[in-house]
Amino acid sequence: MSLPDKSVIIIAGPTAVGKTSAAISIAKHFGTEVISADSRQCYKELNIGVARPSQEQLQEVPHYFIASHSVQEEVNAVVFEKYALEKVKQIHQQHDTAIMVGGTGLYIRAFTEGLDDIPAVPKETREMINKQYAEKGLSWLQKQVKEMDPLFFQRGEILNPQRLIRALEVFETTGQSILAFRKGEKVSRDFNIIKIALELPKEQLHQNIHFRTEEMIKQGLIEEVQSLNEYKNLNALRTVGYTEIFNYLEHKISLQEAIEQIKINTRQYAKRQMTWFKKDLMYSWFQPADIHNMISFATKQLSHLND
């Protein structure tokens, strides 16, 4: 059986590692376009706090799934899989290669492998759980999941409220663990997939995170969060950088405490991202500045695939 002649190069890695810049360089080399795989940069109302690429960067190379949806829309891995597959098909009409860049591992997995067939959750169930989470916080959510879905609690991301809410929704709807629906069957795509991941020494990554947090404050993160107050209970706003500033604006913590919490929570998120991507042995790892070797590696892979 002959291999497909179209490919997607994935650039993954933790937050603040330098994925955007690397992806733009690689996209320019191959003369192609970029699909973001970031679960927050897709919201048009969010900018500073999600480190959305600058206007200059977006003008260098066409990007998709950037400011493409509203925080009032439900965006999840199912939505992303459909969106990204359509955009790749569109890009492949003009180019042999497309670039995907991002740190949302579940979205990338949905795109490359497909998703498990989990039953739909009634809107009322989702709203009920979200309302209780908003009132009672993360510790309540963890306790509920530990009691109802201990299997997921042992294996899942218990510091990630979105994953916990999802597990609780599925249990409330089906009476079964969300893990019961993970059949482990990968779909086959009609294009080749080359996986590249970026990493830095931990100290350097932490410096990047701290610097970027300070820059976000200087750029107007507080004002951005203030302007989004009417949406603060939506899932899209329950994310690092926004939650902490909402707490500051509600006088629950000081500004300095909010900034420190953003740094700590971002470091913890980056660690979870690294754990996710390191589990996938198909990734080849590079330093973010090593563009030449990334391009060389991708070129060799493409040449091998097309032999």
Side-chain angles (χ1 to χ4, degrees):
M1 187 180 78
S2 61
L3 289 167
D5 59 356
K6 304 292 185 180
S7 299
V8 177
I9 301 170
I10 292 172
I11 314 292
T15 187
V17 78
K19 297 184 296 295
T20 297
S21 178
I24 288 172
S25 295
I26 293 169
K28 287 168 82 171
H29 175 83
F30 288 104
T32 190
E33 304 175 0
V34 174
I35 299 170
S36 167
D38 186 295
S39 63
R40 291 294 179 261
Q41 290 180 0
C42 64
Y43 294 117
K44 58 191 173 188
E45 295 89 350
L46 311 187
N47 185 9
I48 298 168
V50 296
R52 194 200 295 174
S54 67
Q55 282 304 118
E56 292 77 16
Q57 288 174 318
L58 295 174
Q59 285 166 5
E60 285 187 76
V61 171
H63 281 66
Y64 301 98
F65 208 61
I66 296 283
S68 53
H69 294 71
S70 168
V71 292
Q72 297 177 76
E73 296 177 69
E74 183 177 358
V75 180
N76 52 36
V78 175
V79 171
F80 177 76
E81 178 188 18
K82 183 174 185 290
Y83 177 99
L85 288 171
E86 287 175 357
K87 290 301 177 188
V88 161
K89 188 175 181 181
Q90 181 182 319
I91 293 170
H92 280 160
Q93 289 173 358
Q94 302 292 328
H95 311 285
D96 288 340
T97 305
I99 309 296
M100 176 172 285
V101 59
T104 305
L106 184 63
Y107 281 22
I108 295 173
R109 179 186 286 175
F111 172 75
T112 57
E113 301 177 9
L115 288 165
D116 297 317
D117 190 18
I118 298 174
V121 173
K123 185 181 177 184
E124 302 74 37
T125 302
R126 176 165 292 134
E127 288 176 348
M128 177 194 70
I129 293 170
N130 275 282
K131 184 173 183 290
Q132 289 183 289
Y133 167 61
E135 292 171 357
K136 301 175 184 177
L138 181 62
S139 58
W140 171 83
L141 196 54
Q142 290 170 329
K143 183 172 181 288
Q144 293 297 110
V145 174
K146 188 175 183 180
E147 289 175 3
M148 295 187 178
D149 192 347
L151 191 61
F152 176 82
F153 190 81
Q154 287 174 0
R155 300 184 192 176
E157 294 182 50
I158 62 168
L159 295 175
N160 185 329
Q162 299 306 315
R163 301 283 180 267
L164 291 168
I165 288 169
R166 182 67 175 139
L168 206 51
E169 287 175 353
V170 171
F171 185 86
E172 290 280 5
T173 303
T174 68
Q176 296 184 68
S177 168
I178 191 170
L179 298 181
F181 297 95
R182 293 186 179 170
K183 54 189 183 298
E185 296 173 8
K186 298 179 183 180
V187 299
S188 60
R189 301 301 188 194
D190 60 353
F191 46 81
N192 303 300
I193 296 167
I194 297 168
K195 290 184 174 181
I196 289 172
L198 307 183
E199 64 181 336
L200 282 169
K202 185 167 74 171
E203 297 75 17
Q204 180 63 55
L205 185 64
H206 287 181
Q207 282 180 23
N208 287 2
I209 289 169
H210 296 176
F211 175 77
R212 192 164 79 176
T213 302
E214 300 285 351
E215 284 299 301
M216 285 175 174
I217 298 296
K218 290 178 188 174
Q219 289 166 13
L221 178 61
I222 295 167
E223 292 78 10
E224 178 171 293
V225 175
Q226 278 178 319
S227 73
L228 295 166
N229 190 60
E230 65 181 300
Y231 303 127
K232 68 181 179 182
N233 291 323
L234 296 178
N235 280 342
L237 273 296
R238 291 192 184 132
T239 190
V240 177
Y242 293 85
T243 303
E244 299 86 354
I245 298 299
F246 278 129
N247 286 338
Y248 159 66
L249 292 171
E250 291 167 7
H251 308 293
K252 294 176 181 176
I253 55 177
S254 69
L255 178 57
Q256 196 53 46
E257 285 172 325
I259 293 169
E260 286 307 308
Q261 284 184 13
I262 292 172
K263 292 176 181 177
I264 292 166
N265 293 336
T266 306
R267 292 200 308 265
Q268 291 174 342
Y269 177 55
K271 184 179 179 181
R272 294 198 301 274
Q273 288 174 300
M274 285 297 291
T275 300
W276 177 287
F277 292 122
K278 285 287 186 181
K279 285 179 181 175
D280 186 339
L281 302 180
M282 296 305 292
Y283 279 104
S284 295
W285 291 81
F286 295 87
Q287 296 275 312
D290 201 4
I291 302 296
H292 175 77
N293 279 339
M294 279 185 251
I295 289 172
S296 177
F297 168 77
T299 302
K300 285 177 183 174
Q301 291 292 308
L302 291 169
S303 175
H304 172 69
L305 290 166
N306 292 324
D307 279 346

